[in-house]
């Protein structure tokens, strides 16, 4: 499974806490884009797609939500519920987000600029693409 839950170093003192993410250091890619998700609702699901090339780190800055990650062989459920945890998701991973707490805020660091063409939004197409990667018919390095 091409994901990792990263424990981030927290600089804390009586004034509060600070976490730093730096491309190529504790973030394993150069950061090309940052976006955030907020005003989420518990009954709404997001995601349901994969990316061939994009890598991301996702941090729940406030509240909690569950990620379902799927590499075509197995599915894992991961809770994101603390600003000192970063969920790294690599290439070729199907993701779904659900069970958002009210007011959950996600910050996402991304390795590429936004490109809708790079999204795979159909699960069968995702599985077929994985077969192509295994057979060497794709340029993906994964
Ligand atoms: C992911 C999860 C964690 C843009 O115009 N620029 C952007 O950088 C992004 C991320 C989205 N958009 C537009 C595209 C859609 O019209 O914003 C709208 C909502 O995007 P989407 O439905 O893809 O949002 P999520 O929450 O389902 O997925 C997002 C990311 O797209 C995705 O890469 O891994 O968050």
């Amino acid at each position: 499974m091409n994901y990792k839950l990263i424990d981030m170093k927290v600089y804390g003192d009586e004034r509060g806490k600070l976490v730093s993410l730096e491309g190529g250091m504790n973030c394993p890619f150069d950061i090309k884009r940052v976006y955030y998700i907020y005003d989420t609702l518990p009954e709404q699901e997001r995601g349901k797609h994969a990316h061939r090339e994009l890598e991301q780190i996702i941090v729940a800055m406030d509240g909690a939500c569950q990620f379902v990650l799927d590499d075509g062989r197995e599915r894992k459920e991961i809770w994101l519920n603390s600003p000192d945890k970063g969920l790294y998701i690599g290439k070729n991973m199907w993701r779904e987000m659900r069970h958002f707490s009210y007011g959950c805020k996600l910050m996402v660091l991304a390795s590429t600029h936004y490109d809708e063409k790079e999204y795979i939004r159909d699960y069968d197409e995702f599985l077929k693409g994985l077969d192509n990667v295994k057979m060497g018919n794709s340029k993906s390095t994964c």
Side-chain angles (χ1 to χ4, degrees):
M1 292 282 262
N2 196 6
Y3 82 91
K4 194 164 46 166
L5 204 52
I6 302 169
D7 278 317
M8 270 139 19
K9 182 168 172 50
V10 178
Y11 298 90
D13 56 34
E14 63 283 358
R15 299 168 300 165
K17 292 179 176 150
L18 183 153
V19 172
S20 163
L21 280 161
E22 294 193 57
M25 309 279 277
N26 56 346
C27 173
F29 50 80
D30 281 336
I31 301 158
K32 288 269 177 55
R33 175 166 54 111
V34 177
Y35 61 92
Y36 42 93
I37 296 171
Y38 64 104
D39 267 357
T40 52
L41 289 171
E43 66 275 15
Q44 295 291 337
E45 298 187 347
R46 305 187 66 105
K48 301 187 181 196
H49 60 252
H51 299 279
R52 291 281 174 241
E53 295 300 328
L54 180 68
E55 297 172 80
Q56 303 193 106
I57 287 186
I58 301 141
V59 181
M61 303 302 295
D62 200 5
C65 80
Q66 190 186 58
F67 272 74
V68 178
L69 297 177
D70 180 336
D71 66 356
R73 284 180 303 235
E74 54 175 328
R75 278 168 88 83
K76 282 264 161 73
E77 294 176 353
I78 293 119
W79 279 98
L80 260 193
N81 54 14
S82 172
D84 64 6
K85 297 265 185 300
L87 175 60
Y88 167 82
I89 306 180
K91 303 171 186 183
N92 292 312
M93 293 287 286
W94 184 265
R95 84 263 346 249
E96 299 174 7
M97 298 120 84
R98 62 190 188 189
H99 304 319
F100 286 95
S101 63
Y102 285 103
C104 172
K105 293 174 190 64
L106 299 181
M107 179 187 69
V108 186
L109 311 180
S111 66
T112 66
H113 293 295
Y114 175 69
D115 178 7
E116 179 58 40
K117 294 192 293 300
E118 208 264 325
Y119 280 69
I120 303 151
R121 295 193 182 270
D122 179 85
Y123 187 72
D124 289 334
E125 192 192 322
F126 165 66
L127 292 180
K128 268 189 222 147
L130 292 179
D131 287 342
N132 284 340
V133 170
K134 273 187 233 139
M135 292 185 308
N137 295 338
S138 159
K139 286 189 181 132
S140 169
T141 54
C142 205

